[in-house]
């Protein structure tokens, strides 16, 4: 009820806003017209009135002065209220995905605006507005908090789906649609092959915004989530290359072998160039965070600005801005978090989550508004075949590629996993925005209509049915509770063990290169990007003391002082005794963030099982590594033996002097 009430209120407010804006424009236009063409009979009156002083304006109306920020604030407020109302009603959120409901709200708002014969107050989902302002916060949030371990462990599978799968979908859809257009009954014989391939490259890409919006609601397991989401992030480079490639080919009219070869080279330039630019900005941002200890307030700004500059710099050269943002966030995060304060880290975390949520909400609302605002020429055959071919190509691509991938994977992808990966290939606003960049011709509006239909089908039909399908197939979901520290210790131990096995076998696999990178990072990179090595042992000791003090206070307050550890000194016992027994002292508790820090410290303090010996050289005399510090070991043994002798001699002296009684010892020490 609250949701529908808020929806109705804001629709009424939007109507009022449109009417006031139109009335304001009419008044302004009328006043401007009268000002440009004054009546002849009023000219004498105007000259005489100049001698009289004008009255002070108590209240005036100047909406144009604040129109743009007012409209933007109104849209953001409307989006947030819709998001709030969606989560208040659990019945709606369990049945309909949030993205679907936001698109419906956009359709309603767009219909109201069109009913008043008004243009959209803001250019709804304009390509420039989308790619420069709405998309970066979502990608930065995803890249900065990217789970690196599952991402790197499944990187090969993700790259196969992102590169080979996107190429397969683009060419399969493009060639199939070109064949459909050649049918005389369709009446689209004027469409050429390059236009169909360009259309296929736009529709083939999986959208990260739509995947995030749907997969986070169904809480799918980590493997399937990282496969589909990683594919949606990395297929941006393939989409950008294919889009620019087919656009250039359509202008030239002819395609040579050299052009095809340059297209392949362009893929590596776009992808690797975007990663390089993002890594450079990430290193610069990490190095800058070394010197922010005296101005903690500006620490989050460096993270946001360097990341956004990485995205813009990649877009300048038509490189992959999405991959640049991901690389910048991944490279920057470990070093920045070691330099900045905990409050700055909390600010970065919640600010990114806030802006990514706002951008995601605005994207789906603007998608609905733009759908109503645009004309849509309809061709049943072309649109329906596009939807069917997109789904069929996705299923065929996933099944065939998984058959090859499973030959190299230890953990195989089951039939259920393949179905969820294929069914979760959602299209979204990226395809819609790329459609606006198509050359202006008679087929652009038809292509846009087909793209919107594919987006609505994947978001509404597949997005709404994926949750019941996951429950019906009993697909493993994400664990709500985190693993214990015992699991983390054994996981790291197995990493060291597998690294050692790879070294013994001479196989340079994933664990070998990961260990090489960690050693290079600790030996060289951390010294330059982190302000001094922070010792973790004092933090562990302070945490242990805090826990011990907490336990001791609980025992004292419960009256079980006899159960206190004997290791505690009388001084510490005096500090623990409550001065006011009537008032219960507050027991310090460990927050969740502090618990995460402790887990991180424990992982970092695990014993390193791999110790490399010096390489053999026949010109050097080999020394047993256990004999290098033999002198130090002997000195330690001698010191221990001396302490034992002193203690034994003192004990013997006490036994040989029985005339010193306990009473005399008490008198000497003034003890009654």
């Amino acid at each position: 009820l609250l949701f529908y009430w808020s929806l109705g209120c804001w629709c009424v407010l939007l109507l009022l806003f449109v009417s006031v804006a139109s009335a304001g424009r009419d008044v302004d236009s009328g006043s401007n017209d009268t000002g440009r063409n004054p009546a002849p009979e009023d000219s004498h009156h105007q000259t005489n009135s100049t001698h009289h002083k004008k009255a002070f304006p108590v209240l005036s109306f100047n909406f144009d002065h604040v129109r743009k920020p007012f409209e933007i604030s109104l849209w953001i407020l409307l989006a947030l209220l819709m998001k709030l109302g969606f989560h208040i009603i659990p019945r709606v959120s369990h049945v309909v995905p949030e993205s679907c409901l936001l698109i419906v709200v956009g359709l309603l708002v767009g219909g109201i605006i069109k009913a008043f014969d008004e243009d959209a107050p803001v250019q709804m989902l304009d390509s420039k507005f989308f790619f420069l302002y709405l998309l970066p916060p979502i990608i930065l949030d995803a890249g900065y908090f990217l789970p690196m371990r599952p991402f790197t462990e499944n990187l090969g599978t993700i790259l196969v789906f992102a590169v080979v799968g996107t190429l397969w979908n683009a060419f399969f859809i493009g060639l199939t649609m070109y064949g459909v257009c050649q049918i005389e009954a369709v009446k689209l014989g004027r469409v050429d092959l390059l236009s169909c391939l360009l259309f296929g490259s736009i529709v083939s890409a999986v959208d990260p915004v739509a995947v995030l919006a749907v997969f986070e609601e169904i809480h799918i397991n980590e493997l399937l989530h990282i496969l589909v989401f990683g594919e949606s992030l990395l297929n941006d480079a393939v989409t950008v290359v294919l889009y620019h490639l087919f656009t250039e080919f359509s202008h030239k009219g002819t395609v040579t072998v050299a052009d095809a070869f340059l297209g392949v080279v362009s893929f590596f330039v776009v992808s690797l160039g975007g990663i390089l630019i993002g890594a450079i900005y990430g290193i610069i941002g990490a190095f800058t965070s070394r010197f922010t200890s005296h101005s903690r307030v500006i620490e989050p700004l460096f993270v946001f600005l360097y990341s956004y500059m990485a995205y813009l710099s990649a877009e300048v050269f038509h490189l992959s801005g999405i991959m640049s943002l991901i690389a910048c966030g991944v490279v920057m995060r470990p070093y920045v978090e070691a330099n900045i304060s905990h409050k700055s880290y909390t600010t970065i975390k919640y600010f990114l989550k806030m802006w990514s949520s706002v951008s995601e909400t605005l994207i789906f609302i603007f998608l609905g508004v733009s759908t109503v605002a645009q004309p849509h020429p309809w061709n049943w055959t072309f649109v329906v075949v596009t939807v069917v071919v997109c789904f069929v190509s996705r299923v065929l691509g996933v099944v065939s590629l998984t058959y090859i991938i499973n030959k190299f994977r230890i953990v195989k992808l089951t039939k259920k996993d393949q179905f969820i990966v294929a069914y979760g290939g959602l299209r979204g606003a990226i395809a819609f925005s790329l459609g606006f960049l198509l050359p202006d011709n008679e087929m652009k509006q038809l292509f846009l209509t087909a793209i919107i239909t594919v987006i609505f089908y994947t978001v509404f039909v597949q997005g709404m049915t994926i949750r019941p399908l996951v429950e019906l197939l009993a697909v493993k979901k994400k664990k709500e509770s985190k693993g214990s520290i015992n699991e983390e210790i054994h996981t790291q131990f197995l990493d060291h063990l597998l690294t050692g096995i790879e070294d013994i076998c001479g196989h340079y696999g994933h664990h070998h290169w990961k260990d090489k990178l960690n050693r290079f990072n600790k030996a060289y990179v951390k010294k330059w990007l982190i302000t001094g090595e922070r010792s973790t042992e004092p933090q562990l000791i302070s945490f242990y003391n805090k826990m011990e003090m907490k336990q001791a206070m609980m025992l004292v307050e419960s009256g079980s002082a006899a159960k206190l550890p004997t290791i505690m000194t009388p001084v510490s016992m005096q500090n623990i005794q409550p001065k006011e027994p009537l008032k219960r002292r507050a027991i310090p508790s460990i927050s969740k963030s502090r618990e995460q820090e402790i887990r991180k410290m424990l992982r970092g303090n695990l014993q390193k099982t791999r110790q490399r010996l010096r390489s053999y050289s026949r010109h050097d005399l080999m020394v047993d590594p256990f004999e290098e510090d033999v002198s130090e070991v002997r000195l330690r043994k001698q010191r221990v033996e001396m302490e034992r002798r002193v203690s034994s001699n003192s004990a013997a002296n006490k036994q040989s002097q029985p005339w010193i009684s306990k009473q005399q010892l008490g008198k000497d020490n003034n003890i009654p």
Side-chain angles (χ1 to χ4, degrees):
L1 292 177
L2 180 61
F3 170 74
Y4 290 111
W5 174 79
S6 61
L7 178 61
C9 289
W10 278 102
C11 287
V12 172
L13 285 177
L14 187 60
L15 284 171
L16 179 63
F17 167 74
V18 173
S19 60
V20 169
S22 60
R25 284 196 294 271
D26 294 338
V27 171
D28 292 339
S29 61
S31 62
N32 291 335
D33 292 338
T34 57
R36 285 193 298 269
N37 300 314
E41 60 271 11
D42 294 339
S43 59
H44 180 70
H45 177 71
Q46 290 178 359
T47 56
N48 292 333
S49 63
T50 55
H51 299 285
H52 300 284
K53 185 178 179 181
K54 280 188 175 182
F56 184 80
V58 179
L59 180 64
S60 60
F61 181 81
N62 188 6
F63 181 72
D64 290 336
H65 180 63
V66 297
R67 181 179 181 182
K68 184 70 70 175
F70 186 83
E71 290 173 350
I72 294 174
S73 302
L74 180 66
W75 281 108
I76 295 177
L77 187 58
L78 176 62
L80 295 180
L81 285 175
M82 294 301 101
K83 193 178 184 71
L84 180 63
F86 172 79
H87 289 286
I88 287 177
I89 306 176
R91 293 183 179 179
V92 177
S93 60
H94 283 298
V95 177
V96 183
E98 180 183 336
S99 55
C100 301
L101 202 62
L102 294 175
I103 291 176
V104 172
V105 172
L107 292 173
L108 293 176
V109 175
I112 295 173
I113 294 175
K114 195 171 184 179
F116 279 84
D117 295 330
E118 294 284 339
D119 296 331
V122 183
Q123 287 295 328
M124 296 296 97
L125 213 63
D126 179 71
S127 298
K128 183 178 180 180
F129 180 67
F130 171 77
F131 283 110
L132 295 184
Y133 302 107
L134 293 181
L135 185 62
I138 300 174
I139 303 302
L140 178 58
D141 175 59
Y144 193 81
F145 297 103
L146 185 70
M148 286 304 300
R149 183 179 182 87
F151 181 78
T152 54
E153 288 180 349
N154 299 279
L155 184 60
T157 305
I158 293 172
L159 286 175
V160 171
F161 283 139
V163 179
V164 183
T166 306
L167 289 174
W168 158 260
N169 290 329
F171 283 98
F172 183 84
I173 295 172
L175 294 175
T176 305
M177 297 312 299
Y178 177 71
V180 171
C181 292
Q182 300 309 307
I183 301 174
E184 295 183 0
V186 183
K187 299 179 181 180
L188 293 175
R190 59 188 180 278
V191 182
D192 57 346
L193 177 61
L194 289 176
S195 298
C196 290
L197 290 175
L198 180 60
F199 172 74
S201 65
I202 294 174
V203 182
S204 62
V206 178
D207 187 73
V209 182
V211 170
L212 273 176
V214 173
F215 270 59
E216 288 186 352
E217 294 182 15
I218 62 177
H219 301 287
I220 201 68
N221 65 75
E222 197 173 41
L223 174 62
L224 296 180
H225 184 274
I226 201 64
L227 288 180
V228 181
F229 179 59
E231 176 192 357
S232 65
L233 289 177
L234 300 186
N235 65 10
D236 174 70
V238 183
T239 306
V240 170
V241 170
L242 291 177
Y243 182 85
H244 290 293
L245 190 66
F246 292 134
T247 304
E248 293 294 331
F249 289 168
S250 61
H251 292 318
K252 288 184 178 181
T254 58
V255 181
T256 62
V257 178
D259 293 333
F261 175 75
L262 291 177
V264 176
V265 175
S266 177
F267 164 72
F268 292 100
V269 172
V270 168
S271 57
L272 298 180
I275 293 175
L276 180 62
I277 289 179
I280 291 174
Y281 274 98
I283 292 173
I284 296 174
F287 185 75
T288 307
S289 65
R290 283 175 53 98
F291 310 100
T292 58
S293 58
H294 300 288
S295 54
R296 297 292 188 185
V297 179
I298 62 175
E299 286 176 339
L301 291 176
F302 284 114
V303 176
F304 305 140
L305 290 178
Y306 278 121
S307 303
Y308 193 54
M309 289 296 295
Y311 180 82
L312 295 179
S313 300
E315 291 293 327
V316 168
F317 299 100
H318 290 290
L319 303 176
S320 177
I322 291 180
M323 298 193 71
S324 179
L325 262 181
I326 296 170
C328 182
V330 168
V331 171
M332 185 189 302
R333 182 186 179 185
Y335 309 108
V336 168
E337 289 185 358
N339 293 328
I340 64 176
S341 63
H342 183 70
K343 291 183 179 179
S344 297
Y345 167 74
T346 305
T347 303
I348 293 171
K349 177 181 178 180
Y350 285 99
F351 191 84
L352 283 180
K353 296 294 182 184
M354 178 192 68
W355 272 116
S356 64
S357 178
V358 171
S359 298
E360 178 185 315
T361 306
L362 287 175
I363 284 172
F364 288 112
I365 290 183
F366 287 175
L367 182 62
V369 175
S370 301
T371 302
V372 178
Q374 298 294 328
H376 299 291
W378 191 263
N379 187 307
W380 277 100
T381 306
F382 187 85
V383 173
V384 173
V385 171
T386 300
V387 175
V388 174
V389 168
C390 285
F391 184 76
V392 171
S393 66
R394 176 71 180 175
V395 173
L396 293 177
V398 170
V399 172
S400 58
L401 291 177
T402 307
Y403 176 77
I404 301 173
I405 291 171
N406 278 340
K407 295 182 178 297
F408 303 94
R409 284 184 62 91
I410 298 176
V411 180
K412 312 295 183 184
L413 296 177
T414 62
K415 298 294 183 182
K416 295 180 181 179
D417 298 337
Q418 297 176 36
F419 175 78
I420 297 299
V421 171
Y423 204 75
L426 307 178
R427 274 69 167 180
I430 289 183
F432 186 77
S433 300
L434 287 176
F436 275 108
L437 298 177
L438 289 171
D440 292 327
N441 52 32
E442 55 185 353
M443 294 303 300
K444 178 178 179 179
Q445 296 301 327
L446 180 59
F447 285 167
L448 274 174
T449 303
I451 290 171
I452 292 173
T453 307
V454 172
I455 293 172
F456 280 21
Y457 174 79
T458 57
V459 173
F460 280 90
V461 178
Q462 296 180 202
M464 291 179 63
T465 56
I466 192 171
R467 183 196 293 270
L469 286 175
V470 167
E471 295 177 355
L472 179 64
L473 298 175
V475 179
K476 185 179 179 182
K477 290 189 176 183
K478 183 180 179 181
K479 290 196 311 180
E480 297 297 334
S481 61
K482 295 185 178 180
S484 62
I485 190 64
N486 189 21
E487 295 177 1
E488 296 178 1
I489 290 174
H490 282 83
T491 301
Q492 188 166 350
F493 169 73
L494 288 175
D495 288 342
H496 288 297
L497 182 62
L498 291 174
T499 306
I501 293 174
E502 288 181 357
D503 287 345
I504 293 173
C505 298
H507 173 68
Y508 294 157
H510 166 74
H511 295 85
H512 173 83
W513 293 112
K514 182 180 177 181
D515 180 74
K516 287 282 188 182
L517 184 62
N518 288 335
R519 288 179 175 274
F520 178 79
N521 182 32
K522 292 179 181 179
Y524 303 103
V525 181
K526 279 189 174 181
K527 295 180 180 179
W528 290 96
L529 300 183
I530 297 180
T531 56
E533 290 294 333
R534 298 181 177 180
S535 176
T536 55
E537 186 178 7
Q539 298 179 19
L540 289 174
I541 293 176
S542 64
F543 173 70
Y544 174 76
N545 290 333
K546 182 183 293 186
M547 296 297 294
E548 186 185 37
M549 185 68 68
K550 176 183 176 181
Q551 183 183 7
M553 291 171 60
M554 291 176 62
L555 292 174
V556 168
E557 292 183 356
S558 62
S560 303
K563 299 179 180 180
L564 286 174
T566 57
I567 194 172
M568 301 190 67
T569 61
V571 177
S572 61
M573 286 291 296
Q574 292 176 5
N575 295 331
I576 294 173
Q577 292 292 340
K579 297 180 181 180
E580 299 179 4
L582 297 178
K583 296 182 179 180
R584 295 183 60 85
R585 296 181 59 181
I587 300 174
S589 60
I590 305 299
S591 61
K592 292 184 178 180
S593 60
R594 182 60 177 167
E595 182 183 353
Q596 294 298 326
E597 293 179 5
I598 297 303
R599 284 175 174 267
K600 186 176 180 181
M601 286 187 291
L602 290 174
R603 287 194 299 268
N605 281 270
L606 293 178
Q607 184 179 3
K608 305 301 180 183
T609 57
R610 301 186 68 227
Q611 295 181 355
R612 294 186 179 275
L613 302 179
R614 292 182 299 179
S615 59
Y616 170 75
S617 175
R618 62 188 181 89
H619 301 288
D620 298 332
L621 180 63
M622 289 296 295
V623 181
D624 190 353
F626 296 101
E627 294 181 357
E628 290 182 352
D629 299 331
V630 64
S631 58
E632 184 178 354
V633 173
R634 288 177 179 175
L635 289 175
R636 289 180 180 177
K637 288 183 177 181
Q638 291 177 1
R639 191 180 298 113
V640 171
E641 291 179 358
M642 289 293 295
E643 290 176 356
R644 288 179 179 176
R645 290 178 182 177
V646 170
S647 59
S648 61
N649 291 335
S650 60
N653 292 333
K654 288 181 180 180
Q655 292 179 359
S656 61
Q657 296 176 358
W659 58 84
I660 301 179
S661 61
K662 293 182 179 179
Q663 291 79 5
Q664 185 67 29
L665 183 62
K667 291 180 181 180
D668 294 339
N669 288 278
N670 297 322
I671 299 176

